Amino acid sequence: NAGVTQTPKFQVLKTGQSMTLQCAQDMNHNSMYWYRQDPGMGLRLIYYSASEGTTDKGEVPNGYNVSRLNKREFSLRLESAAPSQTSVYFCASSEAVVGHQGTEAFFGQGTRLTVV
Amino acid sequence: DQQVKQNSPSLSVQEGRISILNCDYTNSMFDYFLWYKKYPAEGPTFLISISSIKDKNEDGRFTVFLNKSAKHLSLHIVPSQPGDSAVYFCAASARAGGTSYGKLTFGQGTILTVHP
């Protein structure tokens, strides 16, 4: 019953370093998402992939890139980390695009990233 | 521009009483609404949803009410239990068309504390 698995769980980066956050789901879901959570801001969508082979920008895409490697995996890359990217990052997946009745998104446990 | 707003950052209730969490939205394209619950150091978990064709949906102790004309929804928890203490997020999506299609837009969250 793994669901959505994110690695790593914690990471500290220096300004300017790069890293990739990994996400994998074992529910055969078509859609995958990356969100960031900041105090007082709720969860904000960074990028999403409605289906394998497609990716689209969300609300806050600047400074990030994504790759939908296959149906299971959706990675988020920070090319040059900045302190403003200090946040908790959540990956999620859903069977179909969210909004169809009965479809909800399932979330991973999060990656806590600190950029110093 | 915050399209989904939870204006109460926190709510404290006594065990056994009713908890009412509120959420307002501004985007008239939203037609599917969800509530998520989040414990510290965990990802959000789906709680209950409602489509815009309904004004009420009930699941055990949890009931969501939707007032489309006021663009307002609320989550009622009766009776409240200490294990319900968590952050509650309201989220919205559009089923067809527009920039909100297929994405979840979240509110800022409300911290619920249920005292024994």
Side-chain angles (χ1 to χ4, degrees), chain B residues 47-59:
Chain B
L47 196 56
I48 192 169
S49 64
I50 188 167
S51 166
S52 60
I53 61 173
K54 296 184 176 181
D55 54 18
K56 176 182 174 181
N57 188 27
E58 192 171 354
D59 183 2

Side-chain angles (χ1 to χ4, degrees), chain B residues 17-111:
Chain B
R17 307 294 290 268
I18 184 171
S19 295
I20 300 177
L21 296 100
N22 294 302
C23 178
D24 297 294
Y25 62 97
T26 58
N27 188 339
S28 58
M29 294 295 289
F30 288 150
D31 56 6
Y32 186 56
F33 305 89
L34 306 88
W35 283 94
Y36 279 82
K37 176 179 180 179
K38 184 184 180 304
Y39 292 118
E42 294 185 10
T45 55
F46 171 73
L47 196 56
I48 192 169
S49 64
I50 188 167
S51 166
S52 60
I53 61 173
K54 296 184 176 181
D55 54 18
K56 176 182 174 181
N57 188 27
E58 192 171 354
D59 183 2
R61 296 186 297 114
F62 302 91
T63 303
V64 56
F65 295 91
L66 176 62
N67 182 332
K68 290 186 291 292
S69 60
K71 292 190 174 70
H72 176 83
L73 64 156
S74 61
L75 175 68
H76 292 210
I77 306 174
V78 185
S80 301
Q81 300 172 355
D84 295 330
S85 297
V87 180
Y88 288 79
F89 289 100
C90 168
S93 183
R95 280 185 289 176
T99 57
S100 299
Y101 172 68
K103 312 173 202 175
L104 282 176
T105 301
F106 283 83
Q108 307 96 310
T110 297
I111 302 170

